[in-house]
């Protein structure tokens, strides 16, 4: 699920200078890097479009209309409805009679829904697409063919734009402390991101990946409920294995963004950022990453509160509390969740084969932070 354009919910986000001084991203991986070559052009790949819905009956019809107009010949459509109670599944079946609608017994979140759809898919390429997007008819091939034909490409995304045409995302970069930033967010689209680019991650709102690679990685991590950061972690794991993550030149997809998340969005983002840090910032020593984050939270929020309280400065106390109050529930819940994840991981490395450390990438001074 995309995390674009939520900077207004975050406080004390890193400055551009803090992003810029951090070094480039990966060190060596234990996995051999795929050979960077193109396969001989042949028949187009079979594509499985996977969408996850939850209580979307009121806004899903334009998406269904856009999907029905997709011109790609070898396309199957799978929609996982996450236990909606507003009749979403019935709306989907009427609007897209050829689609496979899978009704989940419970709402497991975006990642679990995507994994359920991927398990039922038969295509060579999985194309994850949010239900609040409006893909153009020609969207499938330019996004999916690169990951099928180029074995060094792990995942591909494309430009996402707001309904007014402004850029929402042209791929993203991972900054210090797990804050993520979308290239070009809020800019007018003048073609400045029309060239293919290697990025740290692409949003799950429109993400293509080979089905075999997705299954080899174990899919999206389902702990990022209801969404946010599962797409970032998937791309991190791809890059650790030597794959590139691309933002391709076409298509451009309109994205309304986070239409079904509602008021829980700032809490979910903060919570999941902590979990992402515990699992990825320093996999061999997860408590170190959490220690650095605890120090940052103390300097940014706790120390100003204590100083204002002990100094009997009610106006400073009010300002410090106002700064942290929107983010505090997510920060504290996320820290507890991250401690649990670190405890399960242990001090000697992350579960599974991915043990290489990932660092942050410098971000251009544009866009918003997750």
């Amino acid at each position: 699920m995309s995390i674009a354009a939520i900077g207004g919910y975050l406080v004390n986000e890193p400055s551009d200078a803090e992003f810029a001084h951090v070094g480039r991203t990966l060190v060596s991986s234990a996995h051999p890097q795929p050979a960077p070559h193109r396969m001989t052009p042949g028949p187009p790949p079979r594509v499985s479009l996977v969408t996850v819905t939850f209580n979307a009956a009121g806004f899903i019809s334009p998406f269904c209309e856009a999907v029905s107009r997709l011109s790609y010949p070898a396309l199957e459509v799978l929609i996982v409805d996450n236990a909606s109670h507003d009749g979403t599944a019935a709306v989907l079946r009427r609007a897209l009679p050829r689609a496979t609608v899978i009704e989940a017994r419970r709402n497991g979140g975006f990642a679990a829904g995507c994994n359920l759809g991927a398990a039922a898919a038969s295509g060579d390429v999985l194309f994850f697409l949010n239900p609040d997007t409006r893909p153009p008819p020609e969207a499938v091939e330019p996004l999916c063919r690169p990951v099928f034909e180029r074995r060094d490409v792990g995942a591909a995304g494309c430009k996402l734009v707001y309904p007014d045409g402004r850029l929402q995302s042209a791929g993203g970069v991972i900054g210090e402390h797990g804050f993520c930033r979308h290239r070009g967010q809020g800019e007018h689209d003048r073609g400045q991101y029309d060239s293919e680019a290697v990025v740290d991650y692409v949003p799950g709102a429109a993400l293509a990946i080979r089905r075999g690679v997705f299954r080899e990685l174990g899919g999206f991590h389902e702990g990022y409920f209801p969404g946010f950061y599962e797409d970032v972690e998937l791309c991190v794991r791809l890059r650790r294995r030597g794959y590139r993550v691309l933002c391709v030149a076409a298509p451009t997809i309109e994205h309304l963004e986070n239409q079904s998340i509602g008021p829980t969005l700032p809490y979910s983002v903060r919570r999941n950022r902590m979990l992402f840090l515990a699992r990825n910032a320093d996999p061999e020593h997860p408590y170190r990453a959490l220690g650095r984050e605890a120090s940052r939270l103390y300097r940014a929020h706790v120390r100003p509160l204590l100083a204002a309280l002990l100094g009997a400065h009610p106006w400073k106390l009010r300002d410090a509390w106002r700064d942290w109050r929107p983010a505090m529930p997510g920060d504290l819940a996320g820290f507890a969740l991250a401690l649990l994840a670190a405890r399960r991981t242990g001090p000697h490395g992350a579960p599974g084969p991915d043990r290489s450390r990932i660092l942050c990438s410098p971000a251009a001074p544009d866009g918003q932070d997750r």
Side-chain angles (χ1 to χ4, degrees):
M1 182 171 285
S2 170
I3 319 177
I6 59 175
Y9 294 105
L10 302 184
V11 295
N12 292 327
E13 64 269 18
S15 67
D16 292 331
E18 288 177 304
F19 274 94
H21 84 274
V22 184
R24 261 322 283 180
T25 147
L26 289 174
V27 295
S28 61
S29 169
H31 298 275
Q33 294 193 3
H37 73 280
R38 294 174 183 262
M39 297 178 65
T40 303
R46 292 174 293 116
V47 175
S48 297
L49 188 153
V50 178
T51 297
V52 178
T53 59
F54 176 68
N55 287 344
F59 65 85
I60 198 64
S61 293
F63 170 81
C64 294
E65 183 177 352
V67 169
S68 69
R69 294 178 178 175
L70 291 173
S71 58
Y72 196 74
L75 180 69
E76 70 171 348
V77 178
L78 302 101
I79 304 177
V80 178
D81 184 60
N82 265 339
S84 295
H85 46 76
D86 66 347
T88 297
V91 173
L92 291 168
R93 289 192 172 98
R94 288 195 300 269
L96 295 170
R98 296 184 179 180
T100 298
V101 179
I102 303 170
E103 295 188 61
R105 295 182 179 180
R106 64 180 183 87
N107 181 7
F110 175 78
C114 285
N115 291 344
L116 187 59
S122 62
D124 303 302
V125 176
L126 301 172
F127 177 14
F128 296 105
L129 188 65
N130 270 20
D132 56 354
T133 57
R134 306 290 183 264
E138 69 282 359
V140 178
E141 178 151 4
L143 182 58
C144 295
R145 188 179 278 275
V147 300
F148 178 68
E149 292 186 345
R150 298 160 62 178
R151 309 309 287 181
D152 61 319
V153 175
C158 60
K159 285 195 303 183
L160 301 175
V161 298
Y162 295 109
D164 64 6
R166 289 178 301 116
L167 284 164
Q168 183 183 113
S169 175
V173 290
I174 303 170
E176 197 172 20
H177 301 294
F179 288 98
C180 296
R181 175 163 295 196
H182 289 274
R183 298 168 68 236
Q185 186 173 28
E187 297 179 13
H188 293 287
D189 186 4
R190 301 182 301 276
Q192 64 270 44
Y193 298 100
D194 281 356
S195 299
E196 181 181 289
V198 177
V199 293
D200 287 349
Y201 71 93
V202 290
L207 184 153
I209 183 172
R210 288 195 301 281
R211 181 166 59 102
V213 172
F214 184 77
R215 291 185 174 181
E216 179 186 343
L217 292 174
F220 289 116
H221 178 62
E222 297 181 7
Y224 294 109
F225 183 89
F228 309 120
Y229 277 94
E230 71 291 315
D231 46 5
V232 181
E233 179 169 312
L234 181 75
C235 292
V236 165
R237 290 156 65 196
L238 284 167
R239 288 163 45 221
R240 284 203 183 111
R241 292 177 177 241
Y243 292 104
R244 296 190 302 159
V245 176
L246 295 183
C247 181
V248 297
T252 296
I253 295 179
E254 181 181 314
H255 183 208
L256 277 66
E257 189 182 38
N258 302 322
Q259 191 157 349
S260 60
I261 297 297
T264 65
L265 184 146
Y267 169 86
S268 300
V269 172
R270 287 283 183 168
R271 170 190 179 273
N272 290 355
R273 181 181 65 85
M274 293 285 193
L275 178 59
F276 173 77
L277 287 174
R279 288 176 53 84
N280 298 280
D282 193 345
E284 294 186 358
H285 303 283
Y287 288 109
R288 289 182 185 175
L290 292 180
R292 291 191 294 269
E293 179 61 15
S295 176
R296 188 194 73 82
L297 288 175
Y298 174 77
R299 294 192 309 271
H301 300 296
V302 178
R303 186 167 61 187
L305 282 169
L306 291 176
L309 183 64
L310 295 176
H313 298 299
W315 61 94
K316 291 184 178 180
L317 181 64
R318 179 199 61 195
D319 291 344
W321 174 245
R322 182 180 59 194
D323 284 343
W324 195 26
R325 185 177 62 181
M328 184 186 68
D331 283 344
L332 297 182
F335 203 84
L337 181 67
L339 283 173
L340 179 61
R343 187 175 182 180
R344 289 175 176 171
T345 298
H348 302 298
D354 290 329
R355 295 176 183 269
S356 60
R357 178 169 177 169
I358 183 165
L359 306 177
C360 305
S361 295
D366 57 24
Q368 295 290 337
D369 300 318
R370 290 198 180 192

